[in-house]
Amino acid sequence: MANKKAPEKRSALSILGYRGGNDDKPAKKQVITYDKQGNILGDDGFPMTQTRKRMHRIWDAWFIYIIIMVVIGFLSMIFAYLQGAQYTSWELVQVGGNQLNGWDMALLLRLEALLCLFSAVFAALISIFGFRWFYDKGSSAVIYGMLFSLGFVSAGYLVYAVTAVGTLEPLSLVNISFILVTLLTMKAVKLERPTLRKPKVGRREVK
């Protein structure tokens, strides 16, 4: 009886897409589909109109936003320790340091870092579930819930910064603006969907 071929073992790096120099297998390439008129088709088979292209870029932007928030949060934590504050030996109570309208800058920067972390987590979820809704007919209720949750926290933090600290907080303003653009584009996509038809595939390009 012939020996059965042992299943190929895959390392963690190979599962993630890494291929060593001795691996002759080609990496997975992106396939772009066009209709007979040369218009790009989405993964769901519908034409990528200007509205749909804008929606796709917005979901990509939410993913990039994760990296931006992580970097800003990390820098905020670093600058929080550079505000000249001193701590007691046992209670770790902060004494002195730079102030903004009577508030410790170190404390405000740590709050900023927390908002960055919160925004990064929600940005990841919004991007993932956004693409599912856009291409795979996933639920929009989940996305709305996450967008409104992030917007509620951002608006609350903005009101706190204006009323208590006496200054505008830029990150919360960016969050709210980004959420509004996403909601308006989702509405435009929903209005356009009934007018779209799946055309026949004309050609495919591999990149």
Side-chain angles (χ1 to χ4, degrees), residues 59 62 121-134 137-151 179 182-183 186 190:
W59 300 134
W62 276 107
V121 172
F122 270 77
L125 296 173
I126 290 169
S127 179
I128 292 171
F129 285 96
F131 274 118
R132 289 182 181 177
W133 166 78
F134 187 50
K137 297 182 179 180
S139 173
S140 61
V142 178
I143 308 172
Y144 287 136
M146 290 183 292
L147 287 171
F148 284 119
S149 297
L150 179 59
I179 290 169
T182 303
L183 290 173
M186 287 181 67
K190 283 188 173 182

Side-chain angles (χ1 to χ4, degrees), residues 71-100:
V71 172
I72 295 177
F74 182 72
L75 292 176
S76 297
M77 290 300 297
I78 292 177
F79 285 119
Y81 286 102
L82 300 178
Q83 298 305 311
Q86 296 179 352
Y87 297 87
T88 59
S89 57
W90 293 102
E91 293 84 2
L92 294 179
V93 177
Q94 179 177 303
V95 179
N98 297 327
Q99 302 280 317
L100 176 63

